[in-house]
Amino acid sequence: MSVEEAKFEYAVNFLLKHELGFVNNKNDPGGPTAYGISLRYLKAAGIDIDGNDTIDIHDIYALDKTRTREIYKTQWWDKYNYTLINSLKIGAKLLDMAVWMGPGRAHKFLQIAINRVQDNPITVDGNLGNKTFIALNGLIDTNKGNELLSEIKNNIEHFIVNLCADNPSLKGFKQGWLKRAGE
């Protein structure tokens, strides 16, 4: 197994310990999901799991871990170049966040954390470009990775607290989400 493959395996295993099989909680804005992949996402991405030319709840039922891993690899890991991250823990946390709350928000939280840890701010736009990767890996390579990871987790925790305060129907998820944020 190559280093790149090992990084992905570490990250996807971290993610899949949080994202279980089929879930369809009426209070969860994600709607029907399997292993963290929502029906809404499958429709937006045009991914027909069961191959019947219709993307519906049956595609969520048909989703298994093998196909899930393939989707995470191509649609998240490769698409956003997470393999370029020099820290297994931060790469895994970023994949987890991107699946959980969307890549744009996850990437902004990363950029905000970078700006809190380093002196030279980068643009907070949710796009992972060269400047973000250089700043991110620079912090990791100068032993500030743990501080950065702590800031990322703080950003997620603040988001969850505010989200649940603004949306009382989500309060039942708060403790579980906060636990996940802190891992």
Side-chain angles (χ1 to χ4, degrees), residues 81-94:
N81 295 308
Y82 294 157
T83 198
L84 297 177
I85 299 170
N86 292 344
S87 163
L88 285 175
K89 289 181 180 179
I90 293 174
K93 191 63 174 175
L94 192 57

Side-chain angles (χ1 to χ4, degrees), residues 28-170:
D28 187 342
T33 66
Y35 306 106
I37 296 178
S38 69
L39 176 56
R40 182 176 56 215
Y41 175 78
L42 291 179
K43 286 181 177 182
I47 300 172
D48 181 11
I49 299 297
D50 61 12
N52 69 355
D53 295 326
T54 303
I55 302 171
D56 57 20
I57 192 75
H58 300 288
D59 292 285
I60 293 296
Y61 294 138
L63 197 55
D64 62 16
K65 278 192 177 181
T66 300
R67 183 71 170 134
T68 297
R69 292 170 88 85
E70 291 169 4
I71 292 170
Y72 284 146
K73 177 79 166 79
T74 60
Q75 301 295 312
W76 274 277
W77 189 260
D78 292 344
K79 181 177 184 177
Y80 299 111
N81 295 308
Y82 294 157
T83 198
L84 297 177
I85 299 170
N86 292 344
S87 163
L88 285 175
K89 289 181 180 179
I90 293 174
K93 191 63 174 175
L94 192 57
L95 176 64
D96 185 50
M97 288 175 15
V99 168
W100 182 23
M101 60 183 59
R105 181 176 287 131
H107 300 163
K108 284 180 182 179
F109 285 171
L110 169 68
Q111 291 166 331
I112 291 166
I114 288 169
N115 287 344
R116 287 188 180 140
V117 176
Q118 74 173 13
D119 293 331
N120 301 319
I122 60 171
T123 301
V124 177
D125 59 7
N127 296 313
L128 293 184
N130 287 337
K131 290 181 182 179
T132 298
F133 281 114
I134 289 169
L136 167 60
N137 287 325
L139 290 171
I140 292 165
D141 295 344
T142 58
N143 295 318
K144 292 188 177 182
N146 287 336
E147 184 181 354
L148 179 62
L149 185 58
S150 179
E151 286 296 333
I152 292 168
K153 291 174 181 180
N154 286 337
N155 288 340
I156 302 167
E157 290 168 359
H158 287 127
F159 170 74
I160 291 166
V161 168
N162 290 330
L163 180 67
C164 292
D166 292 342
N167 301 289
S169 66
L170 299 177

